[in-house]
Amino acid sequence: MTDRASVYEVSPRDGLQNERATVPLRSKLRLIEALVRAGLARVEITSFVSPKWIPQLADADDVAQHAKPPEGVTFSALCPNARGLERARAAGLREVAVFVSASETHNRKNVNKSVADTLAAFEEVVGPALAAGLRVRGYVSTVWGCPYEGEVDPKRALVIARKLADMGCYQVSLGDTIGVGTPLQTQRILRMMLGELSADRIALHMHDTRGTALANVLVGLEMGVRDFDASVGGLGGCPYAPGAAGNLATEDLVYMLHGMGVHTGIDLERLVEAGRVAESVVGRSLPGKVHQAGVRSLKA
Ligand code: HMG
Ligand code: MG
């Protein structure tokens, strides 16, 4: 087992898109700064989607214009169409992410199109983004299950992941959107994926709705995956996926990785501080385990 993993932080996007109240711009910037201070080198800071669909992120242009990444840090944002790419480029982003679901019903609820039409529409995002020198990441949602259709045939995700990689996405993040995945299922899905894509082109995006996210990450680690999405404090969800409460908490992920001797470049104490910032920004307590336990208690 190599001893490095990369954490892709999604709290300012996946976290805040699901909050009832819209967080003010300055609070979003405070959260992003705290995440960078903790050593997170990849942060998804917002979404360039329709403000009618996701009003919580309607200030995406301002967020991306004000949050300038220091050297070595990459800020990214979701981008469903050409309009989104135009906005991302105007704000100076160097990376964007496209997203599509493995299940038809979730995809329609999320972006109002069939899976085939969504993939076709990416032609106007991925190619032009790459031509403009941006990096593009791809997401496949509902790989472990769909809130509308139940179980999803993993072959659907496989075909989509292959297409995203062929389009030029440097990495495909596989989403357990509603946090239903279990370890043997993860093993089956990854075994299939790893027949198509090398491990460094796969990331895991686990929601922790049922407490199985870390167990699934462990399976991924053992199978060679080294890229994991997480959200500080466990903030997050998907407004078009009922029950998609809470992404895997970044502190829980980093605590486990460090304990296994897998380096991340993240300072866990500062990460816990970033979790406190997240909590104050949303004005409610967050579910992450390490967030709740704190790190100092280890030394007591
Ligand atoms: P639509 O209504 O089908 O498309 O939305 P439209 O082209 O008719 O546009 C509707 C309105 O939005 C128009 O405005 C457009 O101009 C505007 P109007 O003419 O009515 O005033 N619009 C835009 N405005 C700003 N930026 C844009 C943009 N595009 C259109 N880029 C659309 C289609 C895709 C836009 C819409 O469905 C949408 O924005 N959906 C976003 C859904 C979303 O963000 N979901 C959450 C993220 S996915 C997720 O959380 C899962 C993930 O975490 C992984 C996992 O957990 O598995 C990634
Ligand atoms: Mg998500």
Side-chain angles (χ1 to χ4, degrees), residues 25 36 42 82 93 146 160 213 228 231:
L25 173 64
V36 170
R42 301 162 76 207
L93 280 195
C146 171
I160 294 169
F228 303 102
S231 173

Side-chain angles (χ1 to χ4, degrees), residues 13-14 205 207 237 247:
R13 193 280 300 171
D14 210 345
H205 176 106
H207 285 253
N247 288 76

Side-chain angles (χ1 to χ4, degrees), residues 10 24 56 69 88 90 122 128 138 229-230 248 283:
V10 296
Q56 297 90 333
F122 288 167
D229 300 1
L248 168 60

Side-chain angles (χ1 to χ4, degrees), residues 34-272:
L35 294 166
V36 170
R37 239 189 341 265
L40 281 152
R42 301 162 76 207
V43 184
E44 197 165 85
I45 57 170
T46 189
S47 291
F48 291 102
V49 295
S50 164
K52 287 185 187 146
W53 284 66
I54 310 282
Q56 297 90 333
L57 304 182
D59 60 357
D61 310 80
D62 290 336
V63 170
Q65 249 143 28
H66 285 87
K68 289 296 168 218
E71 188 67 28
V73 174
T74 302
F75 287 167
S76 185
L78 289 193
C79 203
N81 53 22
R83 172 89 186 280
L85 177 60
E86 200 181 295
R87 293 172 65 198
R89 288 189 64 192
L93 280 195
R94 309 298 309 145
E95 180 172 319
V96 291
V98 293
F99 55 104
V100 59
S101 313
S103 55
E104 281 297 339
T105 317
H106 181 264
N107 200 66
R108 275 195 188 279
K109 300 259 186 198
N110 203 31
V111 293
N112 204 23
K113 281 188 193 68
S114 68
V115 169
D117 288 349
T118 304
L119 287 168
F122 288 167
E123 300 290 346
E124 58 177 39
V125 181
V126 183
L130 295 173
L134 277 74
R135 296 218 305 167
V136 185
R137 194 172 198 246
Y139 278 104
V140 189
S141 293
T142 63
V143 177
W144 279 257
C146 171
Y148 308 102
E149 294 178 18
E151 268 184 51
V152 179
D153 182 350
K155 287 197 201 83
R156 292 184 60 88
L158 181 70
V159 170
I160 294 169
R162 181 73 261 167
K163 284 189 177 150
L164 292 174
D166 289 346
M167 270 182 216
C169 293
Y170 73 90
Q171 184 167 77
V172 180
S173 180
L174 305 173
D176 183 6
T177 317
I178 51 169
V180 287
T182 51
L184 292 183
Q185 185 190 11
T186 302
Q187 198 180 58
R188 274 197 304 277
I189 289 169
L190 284 179
R191 206 173 271 148
M192 206 182 268
M193 286 288 168
L194 288 165
E196 279 290 326
L197 295 173
S198 56
D200 62 342
R201 296 195 76 182
I202 296 174
L204 294 181
H205 176 106
M206 310 310 292
H207 285 253
D208 203 22
T209 321
R210 291 166 184 79
T212 53
L214 269 186
N216 291 316
V217 164
L218 186 57
V219 170
L221 264 178
E222 283 171 351
M223 295 178 78
V225 176
R226 287 292 177 276
D227 285 83
F228 303 102
D229 300 1
S231 173
V232 82
L235 195 66
C238 173
Y240 297 101
N247 288 76
L248 168 60
T250 316
E251 300 93 319
D252 297 4
L253 172 66
V254 169
Y255 178 80
M256 184 182 87
L257 292 173
H258 288 186
M260 294 173 69
V262 180
H263 300 285
T264 62
I266 294 165
D267 179 321
L268 186 57
E269 288 201 17
R270 287 187 179 182
L271 185 60
V272 169

